[in-house]
Amino acid sequence: MTDRWVIHLPVTAPDLLRARIFARAAARVLARLSAHVEPGGVTVSAEDQQGVRHWVFCDRPLAHGRGRCALSVDHTSACEPRPPWPRRR
């Protein structure tokens, strides 16, 4: 038995682009609430083809241990690390 569980939260969107946009926003909000959220692992799928998953974030490892790319999966610019969250006042 494992001490680690994964939450699967079905949310619908009218198309792949909007599903990715919503998933990115949801992952970023949840990552601010808990260090246990792994935004890079977020995928979306068609409701009737849940075995065919589409990545949301690039998540490539960056050089020199700078973390992972935080841009969308289909970005055309150079990979960039996740910016640090602004400090709460």
Side-chain angles (χ1 to χ4, degrees):
M1 194 64 148
T2 181
D3 288 335
R4 188 172 149 123
W5 293 83
V6 176
I7 298 170
H8 303 275
L9 177 64
V11 177
T12 61
D15 55 49
L16 178 58
L17 175 64
R18 289 184 219 162
R20 282 181 168 158
I21 291 168
F22 185 83
R24 271 195 304 274
R28 288 178 176 146
V29 167
L30 291 171
R32 291 186 74 169
L33 299 174
S34 172
H36 299 287
V37 173
E38 298 175 19
V42 174
T43 59
V44 296
S45 66
E47 186 174 19
D48 58 349
Q49 293 181 332
Q50 293 184 27
V52 179
R53 302 207 173 198
H54 301 270
W55 291 102
V56 172
F57 292 100
C58 172
D59 205 41
R60 287 187 189 110
L62 301 173
H64 311 293
R66 293 178 29 227
R68 302 183 80 79
C69 180
L71 300 178
S72 63
V73 69
D74 51 2
H75 71 89
T76 56
S77 59
C79 288
E80 294 183 17
R82 288 184 184 88
W85 295 109
R87 291 184 178 177
R88 291 185 180 173
R89 296 176 191 207

